[in-house]
Amino acid sequence: MYNITLIPGDGIGLEVTKAMKKVVKASGVDINWEEVAAGESVIEEYNTPLPEYVLDSIKKNKIAIKGPITTPVGKGFRSVNVALRKSLNLYANVRPVKTFDGIKSRYENIDLTIIRENTEDLYAGVEHMIGDVAGESIKIITKEATDRIVQFACDYTKNNNYKRLSCVHKANIMKLSDGLFLREFDRVCEENKIFRLNGEDAAARKYYADDVIVDAAAMNLVLTPENFDVLVMPNLYGDILSDLCAGLVGGLGIIPSANIGKECAVFEAVHGSAPQIAGQNIANPTAIIQSAVMMLNYIGENEAADKIDRALVEIFKKSDVLTVDLGGNASTEEFADELCRLIEN
């Protein structure tokens, strides 16, 4: 039995995490869920959306999965997601993006992964006011954090049968910060024997590295997303481009995410808490179910993960038990029950 921390979150979090638990149970993995509350519901009692008991639970169990948590815009508390990543040193954010037959999309045959450095850049939160006329944020890129995330990306590329590893940056303008990121990318890739092509045919290489300026990356991800495999980048670019990529394959409602460090890993649905539909049993639980698939693979339960993955492929192909956002009329519970039936048959 595995002890895993569960953070249901706000809004639709309770509904989608309930569906996820049901599907994971159907896959045959025995999990003791240690449920802890975070977010808006605990602020009044603890004066913080992230009480210490949440961090203690994750540090003890080493693995957690969480539903969406509301983050106020322009005021109030900082993102719980950002606080978790910083407090637990979850330096690698991993967001696989792939198309499913049956989910309406402009594209086919997309299978790429965004790997985002999770602890620094502008998201380090170092900012201050200059009188009352300007707000200043400090962009921090360090050699240590860059080396760590590029090494992670090299390992991920090789371990997941990808070919192309692309560094996304803006080193043409930010020559010191993004320039450091790009230089360390080249050095670490060379250490891992992932070299630039230098005029060679990509087909002749098992792996190869290249770099793309962030604005060009945004354009090319829209024009020819099927050409990309793994993209590694600083924090802010990763946040933006991972949402762009989600839009290529059907939206945030189906995209999973993992935040991985040396000691702990937190898996999460990346979409919002959608309070306007909370309690209506119509939310799409695919994102957190796919996050659970990532979690099961992480703990070595690959067979169970494959069962859920195959069931997801089948349910989208059939297209007759889908939630409203996917063009169907099934409830959250009905969608989960059908997945369980497909897993168990």
Side-chain angles (χ1 to χ4, degrees):
M1 177 183 288
Y2 299 92
N3 293 313
I4 294 177
T5 300
L6 172 63
I7 307 168
D10 301 320
I12 60 173
L14 288 172
E15 297 157 71
V16 296
T17 53
K18 180 181 177 182
M20 178 274 298
K21 287 166 62 179
K22 184 183 292 188
V23 170
V24 170
K25 183 177 181 180
S27 75
V29 181
D30 192 8
I31 293 177
N32 173 44
W33 299 102
E34 185 173 309
E35 190 168 321
V36 292
E40 290 183 322
S41 63
V42 300
I43 292 176
E44 186 173 344
E45 182 176 357
Y46 293 95
N47 201 34
T48 174
L50 186 62
E52 198 63 32
Y53 64 74
V54 177
L55 296 173
D56 290 342
S57 175
I58 300 172
K59 289 175 183 176
K60 178 185 69 176
N61 294 325
K62 308 299 183 187
I63 307 290
I65 188 165
K66 62 175 285 295
I69 292 179
T70 303
T71 300
V73 177
K75 60 181 181 179
F77 59 85
R78 285 190 179 275
S79 165
V80 170
N81 298 337
V82 172
L84 277 172
R85 294 164 191 164
K86 291 184 68 175
S87 299
L88 300 170
N89 200 19
L90 305 174
Y91 65 89
N93 180 257
V94 184
R95 294 193 186 181
V97 177
K98 63 180 181 180
T99 46
F100 281 100
D101 290 342
I103 293 183
K104 187 177 180 181
S105 170
R106 295 177 182 272
Y107 302 91
E108 297 178 349
N109 302 318
I110 297 175
D111 181 359
L112 62 86
T113 299
I114 301 288
I115 295 180
R116 164 189 173 193
E117 202 290 318
N118 235 356
T119 63
E120 51 182 33
D121 192 12
L122 289 168
Y123 281 33
V126 182
E127 58 180 359
H128 56 265
M129 292 299 298
I130 302 173
D132 61 354
V133 297
E136 183 174 60
S137 294
I138 309 298
K139 180 184 176 82
I140 300 171
I141 302 288
T142 66
K143 181 179 182 298
E144 179 184 9
T146 301
D147 290 356
R148 184 173 59 180
I149 196 65
V150 176
Q151 182 62 54
F152 184 97
C154 289
D155 293 339
Y156 186 93
T157 300
K158 293 180 176 181
N159 293 337
N160 291 275
N161 299 312
Y162 286 113
K163 187 179 186 75
R164 177 184 179 185
L165 175 57
S166 305
C167 175
V168 178
H169 63 90
K170 192 68 177 175
N172 57 324
I173 303 298
M174 287 170 279
K175 299 182 187 297
L176 298 182
S177 54
D178 282 30
L180 183 151
F181 194 94
L182 179 58
R183 289 192 300 275
E184 290 305 302
F185 169 82
D186 281 331
R187 187 184 64 78
V188 174
C189 282
E190 287 183 7
E191 287 181 354
N192 285 270
K193 301 190 185 308
I194 301 178
F195 301 107
R196 290 178 177 266
L197 289 175
N198 294 322
E200 302 162 68
D201 184 0
R205 287 280 195 88
K206 188 172 184 181
Y207 313 107
Y208 70 95
D210 64 2
D211 70 280
V212 190
I213 294 173
V214 62
D215 39 329
M219 178 185 70
N220 286 310
L221 281 165
V222 172
L223 288 173
T224 55
E226 68 279 2
N227 289 345
F228 288 95
D229 286 345
V230 179
L231 302 94
V232 61
M233 62 201 74
N235 208 334
L236 177 62
Y237 308 149
D239 193 8
I240 295 168
L241 291 187
S242 59
D243 278 21
L244 181 151
C245 289
L248 304 178
V249 299
L252 289 174
I254 64 170
I255 297 298
S257 179
N259 300 285
I260 298 173
K262 288 185 177 179
E263 300 294 329
C264 303
V266 177
F267 300 83
E268 62 177 340
V270 299
H271 56 70
S273 57
Q276 68 276 12
I277 62 168
Q280 297 180 38
N281 194 28
I282 60 173
N284 179 4
T286 300
I288 198 161
I289 290 170
Q290 287 220 86
S291 299
V293 170
M294 294 182 74
M295 180 188 73
L296 291 174
N297 280 319
Y298 182 84
I299 63 177
E301 292 288 349
N302 307 101
E303 185 178 344
D306 288 345
K307 286 180 183 178
I308 299 174
D309 213 24
R310 288 193 298 269
L312 284 167
V313 170
E314 189 171 348
I315 200 170
F316 293 135
K317 275 186 178 178
K318 290 172 60 179
S319 300
D320 57 351
V321 188
L322 299 180
T323 49
V324 174
D325 62 309
L326 297 176
N329 55 17
S331 67
T332 308
E333 190 171 3
E334 288 168 341
F335 180 85
D337 288 342
E338 178 64 6
L339 269 182
C340 292
R341 187 189 69 78
L342 293 170
I343 291 166
E344 292 167 346
N345 286 349

